[in-house]
Structures are given as C-alpha cells and as structure tokens.
Amino acid sequence: MWIIVDGYNVTKSGRFAADHDFRELKSERDRLLMLVRRYTERTSHRATVVFDASRTEELYASRQELDGIEVMYSRGGQTADDLIRDLIEKSANRRNIMVVTSDKGIASSVKPLGVSVAGADELYRKMSESSVTEIPLSKADYYEREVKGYEEPSGKNIHNKKGNKAKKKKRRLNLW
C-alpha cells in the first residue's frame, strides 16, 4: 500500500491540530513526519507526505527522502492537491494507493482515479496506535489479514444456536 498524505491538511485538521499547538510550520512538519515514520516501521506501507509550497517562487517540485519517507513540496503556483493528482495519474497501480486528507475537494477529485481516501483523523488514530503492542497472529489469521488483506468483522459469532456454521457475511477489504 502506498499512502499519500496531504501534509498541511492533516496537521491542520481534527485531532492532530487539537493535540499539538505549534507556532512554527517546521515543528508541525517534523512531528507529522515522525508519526508517519513510526507508522511505516510497523507496517509495510510506503509513505509520501506532500506539502504545499505554491506561494513560493520555486520552479520545480522538490523531493527528498527522510528516514524512509518520501517528502515532497509542490512548486510555486502548484498546490499540494495538484501534485497529489499528478502522482496518482502517473502511477501504474492506483488501486494500491490511499490518499489521506480531510479536504473534500481533493478527496472527490481523486476517488474517480481509483484510489482510496481516508480522513486525517483516521490516519492520526492509526499513527497514534504505534505504542500499542499487537497480539501475535496465528498463521491462518496472518494469511487472511496480511496476505489477502481481509479481516472478519470483530466480535461476530459464526456459529448458530445448533452449533453449525452460519453463513459468513461478505468480507470487507482492510486497507490499513
């Protein structure tokens, strides 16, 4: 899974903004990048964090890699939303991309391109779980969750009163 994060949108949205009172953009960016790095260390996801630099006079978008995370800044006159759309349009496997933003405009413009969209609070919750220790999975559970990407709805009993297996509900795709 490739996660493309709308950087400033996430830092200015919901829980992240409520939990962190930053006075400088650099501190805000550094905190987000640290949380994304922790998250990618726990998962096998690739992450790109895109920041808006449209008000600069930069002629080209800049790209750097920090601790395994790709960090991109848009060029002058180009918004982060435009750069995110460009990344998606150039991708060969769009079904394997999740864009994280709470901006309804970018969300509605990238969904038709075949990507998944998650809200900023959802990513922040996932990143904040990094200190939680996970219970080891059995081989069957590992195969279902990690290889197939599917997960049974939690707390559902698949047996009926007679002890026979009830019909299973259709599995949902677990993108995280």
Side-chain angles (χ1 to χ4, degrees):
M1 170 79 51
W2 179 19
I3 299 174
I4 302 175
V5 179
D6 187 355
Y8 289 133
N9 178 268
V10 170
T11 63
K12 304 287 186 207
S13 298
R15 293 284 320 268
F16 190 96
D19 287 352
H20 308 287
D21 182 25
F22 294 109
R23 306 278 189 257
E24 299 176 351
L25 284 178
K26 182 178 179 348
S27 300
E28 194 174 301
R29 287 190 305 263
D30 290 346
R31 177 68 178 160
L32 175 64
L33 294 173
M34 191 255 320
L35 288 169
V36 171
R37 180 183 48 78
R38 275 194 206 158
Y39 176 73
T40 59
E41 286 174 350
R42 288 187 309 120
T43 65
S44 60
H45 301 304
R46 170 184 167 199
T48 300
V49 181
V50 179
F51 293 106
D52 194 320
S54 63
R55 294 185 182 146
T56 66
E57 294 181 19
E58 294 296 321
L59 296 176
Y60 303 100
S62 67
R63 179 194 172 280
Q64 59 186 348
E65 190 162 320
L66 296 171
D67 296 326
I69 298 169
E70 183 178 37
V71 181
M72 298 185 78
Y73 294 88
S74 63
R75 69 179 184 278
Q78 178 190 41
T79 65
D81 297 358
D82 294 334
L83 182 54
I84 290 169
R85 270 190 294 277
D86 289 348
L87 292 171
I88 293 166
E89 288 170 354
K90 292 176 184 173
S91 174
N93 188 4
R94 295 178 184 173
R95 293 182 55 109
N96 196 36
I97 299 173
M98 179 181 292
V99 174
V100 178
T101 186
S102 290
D103 180 334
K104 292 179 182 176
I106 184 69
S108 65
S109 71
V110 298
K111 279 184 182 179
L113 298 175
V115 302
S116 301
V117 177
D121 280 347
E122 189 175 352
L123 175 69
Y124 185 65
R125 182 178 50 78
K126 290 286 185 182
M127 290 185 309
S128 298
E129 292 172 354
S130 64
S131 61
V132 177
T133 306
E134 293 186 16
I135 300 170
L137 300 175
S138 70
K139 284 184 180 180
D141 287 340
Y142 172 82
Y143 182 75
E144 290 293 317
R145 290 185 191 177
E146 304 298 326
V147 177
K148 287 185 174 179
Y150 290 93
E151 187 173 283
E152 289 291 336
S154 61
K156 300 285 183 187
N157 186 353
I158 62 169
H159 296 281
N160 61 21
K161 291 181 181 178
K162 295 179 182 177
N164 298 327
K165 285 191 176 183
K167 288 184 179 180
K168 290 184 182 179
K169 290 186 178 180
K170 198 170 192 176
R171 294 180 179 187
R172 64 179 179 80
L173 182 61
N174 183 11
L175 296 172
W176 292 102

